Each structure stands twice: as C-alpha cells, then as structure tokens.
C-alpha cells in the first residue's frame, strides 16, 4: 500500500507500507541516489515471515516531492520523525543504507530515538563518507567533488559509473539497468545537494555516542563507497553494537548476500 505523508506545508514523502498487520515493524531508509525499491529483495521475503516493512522515498528521490531545499541530515531526519508520528509507530527497528544510515544515526541523536527500539545500519555513511584530518578512512574529498560536478554535467553517466562500483557480486545487465533507473527517478538538484551534505557534515562523530539502543552493523568488506573502516568506527562509537562483516559484498550487500542479509536482520529483530 503506497501513500503520501506531508512533512512540510509543500513537501510530501512517499511511503510504502507492506503487511501493516505484521507483528514487528522495520522502517527502511534507502541510500543515495536510489529509493525504497532498492529493498525489493527484503520486501519480497520479510512480510511473508510476518514482519511489517515500511519503505520511504526520501525527499528529492523516488516518488516523493522534490523541493529545492532540505537535503541536510537534520531536515531529512525530521522527515523520518513525521513519518513515525503520522503512522503512530513505536518499538520499531530503524534500518538505513549508506546515506540512509547516516540519516538514521542523526535521527537517533536529534530525536532521541523516538519510537525506535533497535537500529540497523547497512553500509552506513557514518561517521564520515570522506577523509578528514581526524578520520583518514573515507573517500577523498576531491572524488566527491567530482561526483557533484558530474551530476551537474552528465548525471546519467555519473549514475552508470556509480552503479558499476556498487555491487561486488556479478549482476545481470537488466538488474544493473533497474538500479540505474532508480537513480534517474531522483531530481538532479537533490542528487547533487545530498552529495554536498557529505562534504560539510561532521556531527555524526558525536551522534554515534548518543545512540542508546541495540545496534546491528552490516557492512561489506569490499565496499568501495563506504569503506569498511567506517563500520569499525561505528562499532567503536556505538555502545551495545554488533558488527557483522559481509565477506562477499560491496556497497550493495542487501543484494550481494541477500540471504545472509535477511537472516542477520531477522535474527537481530528477534533477539
């Protein structure tokens, strides 16, 4: 069931709610530059197992409205709060992939984990996607600047290149095109604006220490986007966290090792 939730007077967020009567709820936040459809291989399975799965399209992406502003982590985490309040959600597992993981971390700190009893981070872009003087483990700043420039000059080419480095396991050409089309659904300005946020955002380091719920960290050791040391930093910074390396995955671990991904997530929810 798909519908819209108003998060600002002129901004609506698209929500897909699968198995609303499920026993336990998982709210998924997708990564850049995709949308909720990236979790297809979780949505195919988990509702059959009795779980309520809610996917959202972040502002600027998928079927959601695409305003000119609001692509910082504070605003995007406020959007998550609106969804949780509108649906009267409580005692949920909040899961975020890549930039969605960073938004989930900010949500936990900014909103004191409202409605969330467990957190799951999938190849999360935290505490920093890029290298900084105190954190030499991310991408080079100039590489992200090039992504922004390429987005503004030839976005389809940029998306194709990003897709080529996304998965570790072999994917078919049709699946690669499916992922590419998700990126095209976003607005060009929102795609670039979120990448600018990667450059400027430094508060996630302190946000990690604000997380007080059990946290599962799933991360591919071959990830070329959010390098594996980011997961180790998350594990070190979040009390009561568990890190599970995915030995045969890149950034798209939710597809590269989807059976393991689903099992680890379900086992965590049932703990």
């Amino acid at each position: 069931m798909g519908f819209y939730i108003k998060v600002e007077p002129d901004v609506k967020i698209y929500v897909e709610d699968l198995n609303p009567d499920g026993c336990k709820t998982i709210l998924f936040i997708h990564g850049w530059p995709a949308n909720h459809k990236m979790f297809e291989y979780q949505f195919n399975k988990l509702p059959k197992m009795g779980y309520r799965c809610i996917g959202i399209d972040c502002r600027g992406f998928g079927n959601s409205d695409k305003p000119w502003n609001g692509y910082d982590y504070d605003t995007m985490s406020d959007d998550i709060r609106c969804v949780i309040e509108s649906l009267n959600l409580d005692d949920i597992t909040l899961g975020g992939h890549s930039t969605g993981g960073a938004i989930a971390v900010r949500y936990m700190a900014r909103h004191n984990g409202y409605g969330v009893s467990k957190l799951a981070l999938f190849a999360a872009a935290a505490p920093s996607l890029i290298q900084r003087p105190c954190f030499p483990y991310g991408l080079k700043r100039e590489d992200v600047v090039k992504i922004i420039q390429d987005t503004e000059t030839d976005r389809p080419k940029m998306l194709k290149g990003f897709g080529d480095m996304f998965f570790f396991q072999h994917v078919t050409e049709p699946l690669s095109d499916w992922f590419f089309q998700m990126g095209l659904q976003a607005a060009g300005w929102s795609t670039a604006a979120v990448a600018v946020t990667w450059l400027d955002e430094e508060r996630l380091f302190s946000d990690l220490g604000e997380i007080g719920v059990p946290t599962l960290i799933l991360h591919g050791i071959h990830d070329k986007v959010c390098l594996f040391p980011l997961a180790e930093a998350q594990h070190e910074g979040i009390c009561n966290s568990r890190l599970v390396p995915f030995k045969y995955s890149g950034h798209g671990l939710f597809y590269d090792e989807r059976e393991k991904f689903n099992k680890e997530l379900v086992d965590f929810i049932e703990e």
Side-chain angles (χ1 to χ4, degrees):
M1 180 174 64
F3 51 89
Y4 287 88
I5 290 175
K6 183 180 291 187
V7 296
E8 289 178 1
D10 298 319
V11 180
K12 299 186 301 297
I13 295 294
Y14 180 76
V15 178
E16 194 82 29
D17 192 352
L18 302 174
N19 192 23
D21 297 324
C23 57
K24 296 182 179 180
T25 300
I26 315 160
L27 175 60
F28 291 85
I29 310 175
H30 65 82
W32 179 97
N35 55 57
H36 79 280
K37 292 179 181 177
M38 70 182 296
F39 294 113
E40 175 172 333
Y41 296 92
Q42 286 65 57
F43 296 161
N44 285 349
K45 298 291 185 180
L46 300 183
K48 292 180 182 178
M49 301 170 68
Y51 297 100
R52 180 184 186 184
C53 292
I54 302 173
I56 69 169
D57 288 347
C58 294
R59 63 168 63 209
F61 297 85
N63 293 323
S64 287
D65 287 346
K66 299 170 175 64
W68 184 249
N69 298 311
Y71 299 103
D72 58 282
Y73 290 156
D74 283 358
T75 303
M76 297 177 87
S77 72
D78 292 349
D79 291 345
I80 303 302
R81 175 67 180 256
C82 287
V83 171
I84 289 176
E85 286 188 339
S86 296
L87 297 179
N88 296 312
L89 301 180
D90 188 37
D91 193 28
I92 70 168
T93 297
L94 179 64
H97 175 262
S98 193
T99 295
I103 295 168
V105 168
R106 173 56 46 80
Y107 178 84
M108 298 302 293
R110 182 173 171 85
H111 295 282
N112 197 30
Y114 177 86
V116 177
S117 59
K118 292 186 176 182
L119 176 67
L121 302 175
F122 321 132
S128 176
L129 183 73
I130 69 166
Q131 297 175 7
R132 302 187 188 277
C134 64
F135 190 75
Y137 307 111
L139 301 178
K140 294 181 180 179
R141 185 181 183 91
E142 53 265 33
D143 291 340
V144 172
V145 170
K146 186 175 188 307
I147 288 174
I148 297 168
Q149 293 171 340
D150 290 348
T151 298
E152 295 174 340
T153 55
D154 190 341
R155 185 165 64 106
K157 181 180 178 182
M158 181 281 296
L159 290 172
K160 184 64 169 62
F162 184 74
D164 288 344
M165 65 185 290
F166 197 90
F167 300 101
F168 178 70
Q169 302 278 5
H170 171 74
V171 298
T172 63
E173 190 64 31
L175 190 135
S176 177
D177 185 63
W178 168 75
F179 187 75
F180 173 71
Q181 294 297 329
M182 273 193 277
L184 285 179
Q185 273 195 277
W189 58 86
S190 55
T191 304
V194 170
V196 170
T197 295
W198 300 337
L199 298 175
D200 299 335
E201 179 59 66
E202 296 187 354
R203 283 165 39 222
L204 291 173
F205 288 95
S206 59
D207 286 349
L208 294 177
E210 298 294 317
I211 297 171
V213 301
T215 301
L216 176 68
I217 302 166
L218 306 180
H219 212 107
I221 66 172
H222 303 285
D223 197 326
K224 296 179 181 178
V225 180
C226 295
L227 308 183
F228 190 73
L230 271 68
E232 295 174 321
Q234 295 160 28
H235 182 42
E236 182 177 345
I238 302 173
C239 293
N240 196 14
S241 64
R242 176 162 57 90
L243 170 59
V244 180
F246 277 53
K247 297 180 180 180
Y248 307 103
S249 289
H251 197 50
L253 71 169
F254 55 87
Y255 183 78
D256 280 335
E257 294 182 79
R258 50 198 176 277
E259 291 86 3
K260 178 179 179 179
F261 183 98
N262 292 346
K263 184 180 187 304
E264 291 287 352
L265 182 56
V266 166
D267 288 349
F268 172 65
I269 293 170
E270 294 298 332
E271 285 177 357

